[in-house]
Amino acid sequence: FVRQLGFWRSTIREAIGQLVSEGYLTRAQGNVTYVASDDPPHATIAVVIPNLNTEEDNHRALSVTVPLLAAVSSEARKYGARILLYVNDDSREAERDDLLDLIDKRVDGAIVFYIGGDRNKQCLEMIRDAGIPLVLIDRYVESLDTHYVITDNVACTHDAVNAIANMGIENIYYVTYVDDSSSTRDRMIGYAQAVDALGLPSNVIISADYSRDRAIETEISEYMSVRRSLESISLPAGILSVNADIHTIVYSLLEDIGTPLDQLVLGHID
């Protein structure tokens, strides 16, 4: 065949190698070469989320993670991509294991609802360095150059404070907790900027982060501290909570204290 066409074997091998590199041919074991399939390979997209607990009081799962998964699945289906789902149950240690696992599995992309703060930042850097496209959801990590899709938490909290102030209320309290996530930090910045611009006093109440594993003695101590702070608020007042979980605790405490709810404007940034 080679003699009939007048080509050298090396020329044929070079041409076949070029067709393989361009995806037209595929090589297999046993020195077999065949025409590549017309079907494109399926990409695998890893999705890492904190939880999927859809109980009625789980605001984040119902309003964020479930719709997020539905949207991601719908878009992935359009492109024939597969979804590899990780659920870490709000555990930073489990999240770290998930992030390392998706690197080992060499996924084609990762969408991460990140909760790891500074603790798991190295894992995100490893994903980026492995060449895996990475998109963070809900929060970003400073100094990490990657894509993210978030709410403007500074503007949200700023607007919430202004809305309460426009009702003629000057005592506006903000209940938050110490956390290293960008969303918590940016909401605090938004509150501080808003009350400063309005010339109002800053009234910040520090609560516990009840979504983390903590010593029960610490939680009780911080719970009682929040209760004492709420007992001393000046009425009428607006009370903004950093998220829905803290808002639920604040509302329960106010009812228990007997604070007249008709003199309060309550809300949360979620």
Side-chain angles (χ1 to χ4, degrees), residues 35-88:
V35 177
S37 171
D38 292 334
D39 296 329
H42 291 285
T44 299
I45 308 299
V47 179
V48 183
I49 59 176
N51 69 69
L52 269 180
N53 180 3
T54 55
E55 295 178 0
E56 289 186 5
D57 61 346
N58 192 333
H59 179 272
R60 183 174 61 186
L62 291 171
S63 65
V64 181
T65 53
V66 171
L68 169 66
L69 275 180
V72 170
S73 298
S74 175
E75 288 300 308
R77 196 175 299 114
K78 294 178 184 178
Y79 296 95
R82 298 187 177 98
I83 298 299
L84 178 61
L85 178 62
Y86 295 90
V87 182
N88 53 53

Short mmCIF file of all heavy atoms in Angstrom, two decimals, residues 35-88:
data_model
loop_
_atom_site.label_atom_id
_atom_site.label_comp_id
_atom_site.label_asym_id
_atom_site.label_seq_id
_atom_site.Cartn_x
_atom_site.Cartn_y
_atom_site.Cartn_z
N VAL A 35 -11.01 5.64 14.05
CA VAL A 35 -11.62 6.96 13.94
C VAL A 35 -12.27 7.32 15.26
O VAL A 35 -12.99 6.50 15.86
CB VAL A 35 -12.67 6.99 12.80
CG1 VAL A 35 -13.37 8.36 12.76
CG2 VAL A 35 -12.02 6.68 11.48
N ALA A 36 -11.99 8.53 15.74
CA ALA A 36 -12.53 8.97 17.03
C ALA A 36 -14.04 9.11 16.95
O ALA A 36 -14.62 9.38 15.90
CB ALA A 36 -11.90 10.29 17.44
N SER A 37 -14.69 8.90 18.10
CA SER A 37 -16.14 9.05 18.18
C SER A 37 -16.55 10.50 17.95
O SER A 37 -15.85 11.44 18.33
CB SER A 37 -16.64 8.58 19.55
OG SER A 37 -18.00 8.90 19.73
N ASP A 38 -17.71 10.68 17.34
CA ASP A 38 -18.23 12.03 17.14
C ASP A 38 -18.73 12.64 18.44
O ASP A 38 -18.88 13.85 18.56
CB ASP A 38 -19.38 12.02 16.13
CG ASP A 38 -18.90 11.67 14.72
OD1 ASP A 38 -17.71 11.94 14.44
OD2 ASP A 38 -19.70 11.14 13.94
N ASP A 39 -19.03 11.79 19.43
CA ASP A 39 -19.56 12.29 20.69
C ASP A 39 -18.44 12.91 21.52
O ASP A 39 -17.41 12.28 21.75
CB ASP A 39 -20.19 11.15 21.50
CG ASP A 39 -21.39 10.56 20.77
OD1 ASP A 39 -22.05 11.33 20.04
OD2 ASP A 39 -21.64 9.36 20.93
N PRO A 40 -18.60 14.17 21.95
CA PRO A 40 -17.57 14.80 22.78
C PRO A 40 -17.51 14.15 24.15
O PRO A 40 -18.50 13.60 24.63
CB PRO A 40 -18.04 16.26 22.89
CG PRO A 40 -19.53 16.16 22.72
CD PRO A 40 -19.76 15.04 21.76
N PRO A 41 -16.35 14.14 24.80
CA PRO A 41 -16.25 13.56 26.14
C PRO A 41 -17.09 14.37 27.14
O PRO A 41 -17.27 15.58 26.98
CB PRO A 41 -14.76 13.68 26.47
CG PRO A 41 -14.26 14.80 25.60
CD PRO A 41 -15.07 14.71 24.35
N HIS A 42 -17.62 13.70 28.14
CA HIS A 42 -18.43 14.38 29.15
C HIS A 42 -17.52 15.07 30.16
O HIS A 42 -16.64 14.45 30.74
CB HIS A 42 -19.33 13.38 29.88
CG HIS A 42 -20.43 12.82 29.02
ND1 HIS A 42 -21.54 13.55 28.69
CD2 HIS A 42 -20.56 11.63 28.40
CE1 HIS A 42 -22.33 12.82 27.92
NE2 HIS A 42 -21.76 11.65 27.72
N ALA A 43 -17.76 16.35 30.36
CA ALA A 43 -17.03 17.07 31.41
C ALA A 43 -17.66 16.76 32.76
O ALA A 43 -18.86 16.49 32.86
CB ALA A 43 -17.08 18.57 31.14
N THR A 44 -16.85 16.80 33.80
CA THR A 44 -17.35 16.59 35.17
C THR A 44 -17.14 17.86 35.97
O THR A 44 -16.02 18.35 36.09
CB THR A 44 -16.60 15.43 35.86
OG1 THR A 44 -16.82 14.22 35.12
CG2 THR A 44 -17.12 15.24 37.28
N ILE A 45 -18.24 18.41 36.48
CA ILE A 45 -18.20 19.63 37.28
C ILE A 45 -18.48 19.27 38.73
O ILE A 45 -19.53 18.71 39.06
CB ILE A 45 -19.25 20.66 36.80
CG1 ILE A 45 -19.13 20.90 35.30
CG2 ILE A 45 -19.10 21.96 37.59
CD1 ILE A 45 -17.79 21.46 34.86
N ALA A 46 -17.54 19.57 39.62
CA ALA A 46 -17.74 19.33 41.05
C ALA A 46 -18.50 20.51 41.66
O ALA A 46 -18.20 21.67 41.37
CB ALA A 46 -16.40 19.16 41.75
N VAL A 47 -19.49 20.19 42.49
CA VAL A 47 -20.25 21.21 43.22
C VAL A 47 -20.10 20.90 44.71
O VAL A 47 -20.50 19.82 45.16
CB VAL A 47 -21.73 21.23 42.81
CG1 VAL A 47 -22.48 22.29 43.60
CG2 VAL A 47 -21.86 21.48 41.31
N VAL A 48 -19.56 21.85 45.46
CA VAL A 48 -19.32 21.66 46.90
C VAL A 48 -20.22 22.63 47.66
O VAL A 48 -20.12 23.85 47.48
CB VAL A 48 -17.85 21.92 47.26
CG1 VAL A 48 -17.60 21.66 48.75
CG2 VAL A 48 -16.92 21.06 46.41
N ILE A 49 -21.13 22.09 48.49
CA ILE A 49 -22.08 22.93 49.22
C ILE A 49 -22.08 22.56 50.70
O ILE A 49 -21.71 21.44 51.07
CB ILE A 49 -23.51 22.80 48.64
CG1 ILE A 49 -23.99 21.35 48.71
CG2 ILE A 49 -23.57 23.33 47.23
CD1 ILE A 49 -25.43 21.18 48.26
N PRO A 50 -22.51 23.48 51.58
CA PRO A 50 -22.48 23.21 53.02
C PRO A 50 -23.50 22.17 53.47
O PRO A 50 -23.19 21.31 54.29
CB PRO A 50 -22.76 24.57 53.65
CG PRO A 50 -22.50 25.57 52.59
CD PRO A 50 -22.83 24.89 51.30
N ASN A 51 -24.75 22.26 52.99
CA ASN A 51 -25.74 21.29 53.44
C ASN A 51 -26.94 21.30 52.51
O ASN A 51 -27.13 22.22 51.72
CB ASN A 51 -26.19 21.57 54.88
CG ASN A 51 -26.99 22.85 55.00
OD1 ASN A 51 -28.12 22.93 54.52
ND2 ASN A 51 -26.42 23.86 55.65
N LEU A 52 -27.74 20.24 52.62
CA LEU A 52 -28.98 20.12 51.85
C LEU A 52 -30.16 19.82 52.76
O LEU A 52 -31.13 19.20 52.35
CB LEU A 52 -28.85 19.02 50.79
CG LEU A 52 -28.33 19.46 49.42
CD1 LEU A 52 -28.25 18.27 48.48
CD2 LEU A 52 -29.21 20.54 48.82
N ASN A 53 -30.04 20.24 54.01
CA ASN A 53 -31.12 20.03 54.97
C ASN A 53 -32.25 20.99 54.64
O ASN A 53 -32.13 22.20 54.83
CB ASN A 53 -30.59 20.27 56.39
CG ASN A 53 -31.66 20.07 57.44
OD1 ASN A 53 -32.80 19.71 57.12
ND2 ASN A 53 -31.31 20.29 58.69
N THR A 54 -33.36 20.46 54.15
CA THR A 54 -34.45 21.31 53.68
C THR A 54 -35.58 21.46 54.69
O THR A 54 -36.74 21.64 54.33
CB THR A 54 -35.02 20.77 52.36
OG1 THR A 54 -35.41 19.40 52.54
CG2 THR A 54 -33.99 20.85 51.25
N GLU A 55 -35.25 21.39 55.98
CA GLU A 55 -36.26 21.66 57.00
C GLU A 55 -36.72 23.12 56.87
O GLU A 55 -36.01 23.98 56.35
CB GLU A 55 -35.69 21.41 58.39
CG GLU A 55 -35.33 19.95 58.66
CD GLU A 55 -34.73 19.76 60.04
OE1 GLU A 55 -34.60 20.76 60.76
OE2 GLU A 55 -34.38 18.62 60.38
N GLU A 56 -37.91 23.40 57.38
CA GLU A 56 -38.53 24.71 57.17
C GLU A 56 -37.68 25.86 57.70
O GLU A 56 -37.72 26.96 57.16
CB GLU A 56 -39.91 24.75 57.82
CG GLU A 56 -40.94 23.90 57.10
CD GLU A 56 -42.33 24.07 57.69
OE1 GLU A 56 -42.47 24.93 58.59
OE2 GLU A 56 -43.25 23.36 57.27
N ASP A 57 -36.90 25.62 58.77
CA ASP A 57 -36.14 26.72 59.36
C ASP A 57 -34.74 26.84 58.78
O ASP A 57 -33.96 27.67 59.23
CB ASP A 57 -36.06 26.54 60.89
CG ASP A 57 -35.35 25.24 61.28
OD1 ASP A 57 -35.17 24.39 60.41
OD2 ASP A 57 -35.00 25.11 62.48
N ASN A 58 -34.41 26.03 57.77
CA ASN A 58 -33.09 26.12 57.16
C ASN A 58 -33.17 27.06 55.96
O ASN A 58 -33.36 26.65 54.82
CB ASN A 58 -32.60 24.73 56.73
CG ASN A 58 -31.11 24.75 56.36
OD1 ASN A 58 -30.58 25.77 55.93
ND2 ASN A 58 -30.46 23.62 56.53
N HIS A 59 -33.02 28.34 56.24
CA HIS A 59 -33.20 29.36 55.22
C HIS A 59 -32.18 29.22 54.10
O HIS A 59 -32.51 29.35 52.92
CB HIS A 59 -33.09 30.75 55.86
CG HIS A 59 -33.23 31.88 54.89
ND1 HIS A 59 -32.16 32.41 54.20
CD2 HIS A 59 -34.32 32.57 54.48
CE1 HIS A 59 -32.57 33.38 53.42
NE2 HIS A 59 -33.88 33.50 53.57
N ARG A 60 -30.92 28.95 54.45
CA ARG A 60 -29.87 28.90 53.43
C ARG A 60 -30.10 27.78 52.43
O ARG A 60 -29.96 27.96 51.22
CB ARG A 60 -28.50 28.75 54.08
CG ARG A 60 -27.34 28.76 53.08
CD ARG A 60 -26.01 28.75 53.78
NE ARG A 60 -25.86 27.55 54.58
CZ ARG A 60 -24.83 27.33 55.39
NH1 ARG A 60 -23.89 28.26 55.52
NH2 ARG A 60 -24.73 26.22 56.08
N ALA A 61 -30.48 26.59 52.94
CA ALA A 61 -30.71 25.46 52.04
C ALA A 61 -31.90 25.73 51.12
O ALA A 61 -31.84 25.47 49.91
CB ALA A 61 -30.93 24.18 52.83
N LEU A 62 -33.00 26.25 51.69
CA LEU A 62 -34.20 26.45 50.91
C LEU A 62 -34.07 27.57 49.90
O LEU A 62 -34.57 27.47 48.78
CB LEU A 62 -35.38 26.74 51.86
CG LEU A 62 -35.84 25.58 52.73
CD1 LEU A 62 -36.85 26.05 53.75
CD2 LEU A 62 -36.43 24.46 51.87
N SER A 63 -33.38 28.65 50.27
CA SER A 63 -33.34 29.82 49.41
C SER A 63 -32.08 29.93 48.57
O SER A 63 -32.03 30.71 47.61
CB SER A 63 -33.50 31.10 50.24
OG SER A 63 -32.39 31.26 51.11
N VAL A 64 -31.04 29.17 48.92
CA VAL A 64 -29.77 29.31 48.21
C VAL A 64 -29.31 27.99 47.58
O VAL A 64 -29.22 27.88 46.36
CB VAL A 64 -28.67 29.86 49.14
CG1 VAL A 64 -27.36 30.02 48.37
CG2 VAL A 64 -29.09 31.19 49.73
N THR A 65 -29.00 27.00 48.41
CA THR A 65 -28.34 25.81 47.87
C THR A 65 -29.23 24.97 46.96
O THR A 65 -28.77 24.47 45.93
CB THR A 65 -27.78 24.93 49.00
OG1 THR A 65 -28.81 24.64 49.93
CG2 THR A 65 -26.65 25.63 49.72
N VAL A 66 -30.49 24.80 47.31
CA VAL A 66 -31.39 24.01 46.46
C VAL A 66 -31.61 24.69 45.11
O VAL A 66 -31.44 24.05 44.05
CB VAL A 66 -32.72 23.72 47.17
CG1 VAL A 66 -33.72 23.08 46.21
CG2 VAL A 66 -32.50 22.80 48.37
N PRO A 67 -31.97 25.98 45.06
CA PRO A 67 -32.07 26.64 43.75
C PRO A 67 -30.74 26.66 43.00
O PRO A 67 -30.73 26.55 41.77
CB PRO A 67 -32.53 28.07 44.11
CG PRO A 67 -33.17 27.95 45.44
CD PRO A 67 -32.41 26.87 46.15
N LEU A 68 -29.63 26.79 43.72
CA LEU A 68 -28.32 26.76 43.08
C LEU A 68 -28.09 25.43 42.38
O LEU A 68 -27.67 25.39 41.20
CB LEU A 68 -27.23 27.00 44.11
CG LEU A 68 -25.79 26.75 43.66
CD1 LEU A 68 -25.38 27.76 42.60
CD2 LEU A 68 -24.83 26.79 44.84
N LEU A 69 -28.36 24.33 43.07
CA LEU A 69 -28.18 23.01 42.46
C LEU A 69 -29.08 22.83 41.25
O LEU A 69 -28.65 22.26 40.23
CB LEU A 69 -28.47 21.93 43.49
CG LEU A 69 -27.33 21.51 44.41
CD1 LEU A 69 -27.79 20.42 45.36
CD2 LEU A 69 -26.14 21.03 43.61
N ALA A 70 -30.31 23.30 41.35
CA ALA A 70 -31.23 23.17 40.22
C ALA A 70 -30.70 23.94 39.00
O ALA A 70 -30.75 23.43 37.87
CB ALA A 70 -32.61 23.69 40.62
N ALA A 71 -30.19 25.13 39.23
CA ALA A 71 -29.66 25.94 38.13
C ALA A 71 -28.41 25.32 37.52
O ALA A 71 -28.27 25.25 36.29
CB ALA A 71 -29.36 27.35 38.63
N VAL A 72 -27.50 24.84 38.37
CA VAL A 72 -26.27 24.22 37.88
C VAL A 72 -26.60 22.96 37.08
O VAL A 72 -26.04 22.73 36.00
CB VAL A 72 -25.33 23.89 39.06
CG1 VAL A 72 -24.17 23.02 38.59
CG2 VAL A 72 -24.79 25.18 39.68
N SER A 73 -27.50 22.14 37.60
CA SER A 73 -27.87 20.90 36.90
C SER A 73 -28.49 21.20 35.54
O SER A 73 -28.22 20.52 34.55
CB SER A 73 -28.85 20.09 37.75
OG SER A 73 -28.26 19.70 38.97
N SER A 74 -29.34 22.23 35.50
CA SER A 74 -29.99 22.60 34.24
C SER A 74 -28.97 23.05 33.20
O SER A 74 -29.03 22.64 32.04
CB SER A 74 -31.01 23.72 34.50
OG SER A 74 -31.58 24.18 33.30
N GLU A 75 -28.02 23.88 33.63
CA GLU A 75 -27.00 24.36 32.68
C GLU A 75 -26.07 23.22 32.26
O GLU A 75 -25.68 23.13 31.10
CB GLU A 75 -26.20 25.49 33.33
CG GLU A 75 -26.96 26.80 33.46
CD GLU A 75 -27.42 27.33 32.11
OE1 GLU A 75 -26.58 27.45 31.19
OE2 GLU A 75 -28.62 27.61 31.96
N ALA A 76 -25.70 22.36 33.20
CA ALA A 76 -24.80 21.25 32.88
C ALA A 76 -25.44 20.32 31.85
O ALA A 76 -24.76 19.81 30.95
CB ALA A 76 -24.46 20.48 34.16
N ARG A 77 -26.75 20.12 31.98
CA ARG A 77 -27.45 19.23 31.05
C ARG A 77 -27.36 19.76 29.62
O ARG A 77 -27.26 18.99 28.66
CB ARG A 77 -28.91 19.09 31.49
CG ARG A 77 -29.64 17.92 30.86
CD ARG A 77 -31.04 17.76 31.44
NE ARG A 77 -31.00 17.50 32.87
CZ ARG A 77 -31.45 18.33 33.79
NH1 ARG A 77 -31.98 19.49 33.43
NH2 ARG A 77 -31.38 18.02 35.07
N LYS A 78 -27.38 21.07 29.47
CA LYS A 78 -27.30 21.66 28.13
C LYS A 78 -25.99 21.31 27.43
O LYS A 78 -25.93 21.20 26.20
CB LYS A 78 -27.44 23.19 28.22
CG LYS A 78 -28.78 23.68 28.69
CD LYS A 78 -28.78 25.20 28.78
CE LYS A 78 -30.09 25.75 29.35
NZ LYS A 78 -30.05 27.23 29.49
N TYR A 79 -24.94 21.16 28.22
CA TYR A 79 -23.61 20.92 27.64
C TYR A 79 -23.16 19.47 27.81
O TYR A 79 -22.02 19.14 27.51
CB TYR A 79 -22.59 21.85 28.31
CG TYR A 79 -22.87 23.31 28.04
CD1 TYR A 79 -23.59 24.08 28.96
CD2 TYR A 79 -22.45 23.92 26.87
CE1 TYR A 79 -23.86 25.42 28.72
CE2 TYR A 79 -22.72 25.26 26.62
CZ TYR A 79 -23.42 25.99 27.55
OH TYR A 79 -23.69 27.32 27.30
N GLY A 80 -24.06 18.61 28.28
CA GLY A 80 -23.71 17.22 28.44
C GLY A 80 -22.71 16.96 29.55
O GLY A 80 -22.00 15.95 29.54
N ALA A 81 -22.64 17.86 30.53
CA ALA A 81 -21.68 17.71 31.63
C ALA A 81 -22.30 16.91 32.77
O ALA A 81 -23.51 16.90 32.97
CB ALA A 81 -21.23 19.08 32.13
N ARG A 82 -21.44 16.25 33.52
CA ARG A 82 -21.87 15.50 34.70
C ARG A 82 -21.59 16.32 35.96
O ARG A 82 -20.62 17.08 36.00
CB ARG A 82 -21.12 14.17 34.78
CG ARG A 82 -21.37 13.22 33.62
CD ARG A 82 -20.73 11.88 33.90
NE ARG A 82 -20.98 10.90 32.84
CZ ARG A 82 -20.12 10.62 31.88
NH1 ARG A 82 -18.95 11.22 31.85
NH2 ARG A 82 -20.41 9.72 30.96
N ILE A 83 -22.42 16.15 36.98
CA ILE A 83 -22.25 16.85 38.25
C ILE A 83 -21.75 15.87 39.31
O ILE A 83 -22.32 14.79 39.49
CB ILE A 83 -23.58 17.48 38.73
CG1 ILE A 83 -24.07 18.52 37.73
CG2 ILE A 83 -23.41 18.12 40.11
CD1 ILE A 83 -23.13 19.69 37.53
N LEU A 84 -20.68 16.24 39.99
CA LEU A 84 -20.16 15.47 41.12
C LEU A 84 -20.44 16.31 42.37
O LEU A 84 -19.83 17.35 42.58
CB LEU A 84 -18.66 15.23 40.96
CG LEU A 84 -17.96 14.46 42.09
CD1 LEU A 84 -18.56 13.07 42.25
CD2 LEU A 84 -16.46 14.37 41.81
N LEU A 85 -21.39 15.85 43.20
CA LEU A 85 -21.87 16.65 44.32
C LEU A 85 -21.18 16.26 45.62
O LEU A 85 -21.10 15.08 45.97
CB LEU A 85 -23.38 16.48 44.47
CG LEU A 85 -24.05 17.21 45.64
CD1 LEU A 85 -23.89 18.72 45.50
CD2 LEU A 85 -25.54 16.83 45.72
N TYR A 86 -20.71 17.28 46.35
CA TYR A 86 -20.16 17.10 47.69
C TYR A 86 -21.00 17.91 48.67
O TYR A 86 -21.25 19.09 48.43
CB TYR A 86 -18.72 17.60 47.77
CG TYR A 86 -17.72 16.86 46.93
CD1 TYR A 86 -17.45 17.25 45.62
CD2 TYR A 86 -17.01 15.78 47.45
CE1 TYR A 86 -16.50 16.59 44.85
CE2 TYR A 86 -16.06 15.11 46.68
CZ TYR A 86 -15.82 15.52 45.39
OH TYR A 86 -14.88 14.86 44.62
N VAL A 87 -21.42 17.30 49.78
CA VAL A 87 -22.16 17.99 50.84
C VAL A 87 -21.39 17.79 52.13
O VAL A 87 -21.20 16.66 52.57
CB VAL A 87 -23.60 17.46 50.98
CG1 VAL A 87 -24.34 18.24 52.05
CG2 VAL A 87 -24.34 17.53 49.65
N ASN A 88 -20.93 18.89 52.74
CA ASN A 88 -20.03 18.75 53.89
C ASN A 88 -20.69 18.98 55.25
O ASN A 88 -20.00 19.00 56.28
CB ASN A 88 -18.83 19.69 53.74
CG ASN A 88 -19.24 21.13 53.48
OD1 ASN A 88 -20.02 21.70 54.24
ND2 ASN A 88 -18.71 21.73 52.41
#
